[in-house]
């Protein structure tokens, strides 16, 4: 193992240890986070100070270019303490990976003066971009930009129209804070602390170097690979980004599991006159939930390892693998939800009280379940069709 690799692993382990040290405080702030409707600045600052947001950032901008498994492990643990903080950490934390795919001019604009710069996003192609000299004129209104209050840039999805009004591309546009408005609309039942507000852009010029074609990223390509040569930046875009949505939900399930076990150890079931921890059916529920959570996590991380192996061999990640990743990702979300439902239903009436971690995890996980990346039927249909030998175009998947 090279000295550089040893140093990188040591630095990554320091981040993981730092995140573990923050978990009690993040857990204590969970109710405040929900009440504020945004992750407290203090939590974001503390995560910044331990280096969390640098895990997937290029080393030439002070990042660690860490193993995605280490990144997702941190996300899972943060989400076990507070679902909203875990969700925002996951989303903001993965964006440095995508910024690394942009042209170097865009990377310099984001990190050249401040390597702690954070970026939020809203990828749905609801924006309209007209081709103009040197770039595009972008307009639109985007919803669900999680953590946007803590970011000074945003990544926005938009359809590109030519001069004849025809759609010719789907791109991601990188826009600085002074060129967009944040509209406070986030009043929701779950993930209330994510501050996932709307972004409004009105006829803003975006240079071509500040955009990425989704067709190109779908082929594991990006101009930034010319300067960021690590295998990390050759992984499949949408596989990483859908994992970014499932991982915090698995973390919420782990947090709910730990809370449930603690509650049952101290609970006496009045109807049966016995300690809940002595109920054999309660033990079965705990075993079932823990298996679902472990299975969801194991498959998600195993698929990342398989992607890395293809990249390390210099091989193209096959469509069959990409479809299997999506299969396991959407079912990973479902397994985590099933585990939380099982635990919540078995926890008794005290779990309903406002402020209890279990009911918050239940609401947060179900809120995360409705994200477009967790649409199960579409992903499963494509995988099943491919198994039957039908030709499948995975598109963004």
């Amino acid at each position: 193992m090279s000295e550089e690799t040893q140093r990188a692993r040591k630095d990554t382990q320091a981040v993981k240890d730092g995140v573990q040290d923050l978990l009690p405080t993040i857990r204590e702030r969970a109710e405040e986070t929900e009440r504020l409707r945004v992750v407290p600045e203090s939590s974001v600052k503390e995560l910044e100070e331990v280096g969390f947001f640098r895990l997937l950032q290029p080393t030439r901008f002070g990042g660690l270019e860490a193993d995605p498994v280490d990144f997702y492990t941190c996300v899972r643990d943060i989400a076990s303490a507070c679902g909203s903080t875990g969700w925002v950490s996951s989303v903001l934390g993965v964006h440095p990976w995508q910024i690394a795919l942009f042209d170097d001019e865009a990377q310099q604009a984001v990190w050249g003066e401040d390597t702690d710069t954070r970026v939020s996003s809203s990828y749905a192609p609801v924006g309209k971009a007209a081709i103009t000299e040197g770039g595009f004129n972008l307009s639109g209104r985007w919803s669900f930009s999680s953590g946007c209050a803590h970011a000074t840039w945003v990544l926005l999805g938009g359809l590109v129209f030519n001069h004849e009004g025809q759609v010719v591309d789907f791109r991601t546009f990188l826009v600085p804070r002074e060129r967009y408005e944040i509209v406070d609309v986030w009043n929701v039942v779950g993930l209330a602390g994510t501050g996932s507000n709307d972004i409004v852009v009105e006829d803003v010029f975006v240079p071509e170097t500040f955009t990425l074609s989704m067709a190109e990223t779908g082929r594991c390509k990006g101009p930034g690979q010319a300067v960021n040569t690590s295998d990390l930046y050759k992984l499949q875009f949408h596989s990483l980004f859908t994992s970014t949505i499932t991982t915090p939900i698995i973390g919420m399930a782990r947090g709910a599991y730990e809370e449930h076990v603690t509650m049952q150890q101290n609970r006496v079931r009045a109807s049966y006159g016995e300690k809940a921890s002595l109920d054999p059916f309660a033990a079965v529920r705990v075993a079932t939930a823990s298996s679902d959570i472990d299975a969801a996590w194991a498959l998600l991380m195993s698929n990342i390892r398989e992607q890395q192996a293809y990249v390390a061999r210099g091989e193209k990640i096959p469509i069959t693998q990409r479809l299997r990743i999506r299969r396991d990702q959407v079912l990973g979300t479902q397994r985590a939800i099933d585990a939380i439902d099982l635990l919540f239903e078995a926890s008794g009436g005290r779990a309903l009280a406002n402020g209890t971690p279990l009911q918050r995890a239940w609401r947060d996980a179900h809120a995360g379940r409705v994200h477009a990346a967790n649409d199960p039927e579409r992903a499963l249909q494509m995988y099943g069709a491919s198994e039957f030998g039908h030709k499948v175009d995975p598109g963004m998947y």
Side-chain angles (χ1 to χ4, degrees), residues 15 17 42 55 67 73 83 124 154 168 189 197 211 232 239 248 255-256 260 277-279 350 357 370 390:
V15 173
D17 292 343
S42 52
L55 283 171
D67 188 329
T73 299
V154 68
V168 293
V189 70
N197 286 305
T211 73
L232 171 64
S239 297
H260 173 80
S277 61
L278 298 177
D279 180 357
R350 295 190 185 280
V370 303
H390 301 309

Side-chain angles (χ1 to χ4, degrees), residues 250 290-300 328 332 335:
I250 295 174
S290 64
S291 179
D292 279 341
I293 296 167
D294 288 348
W297 178 249
L299 281 173
L300 207 65
D328 294 340
R335 286 188 176 99

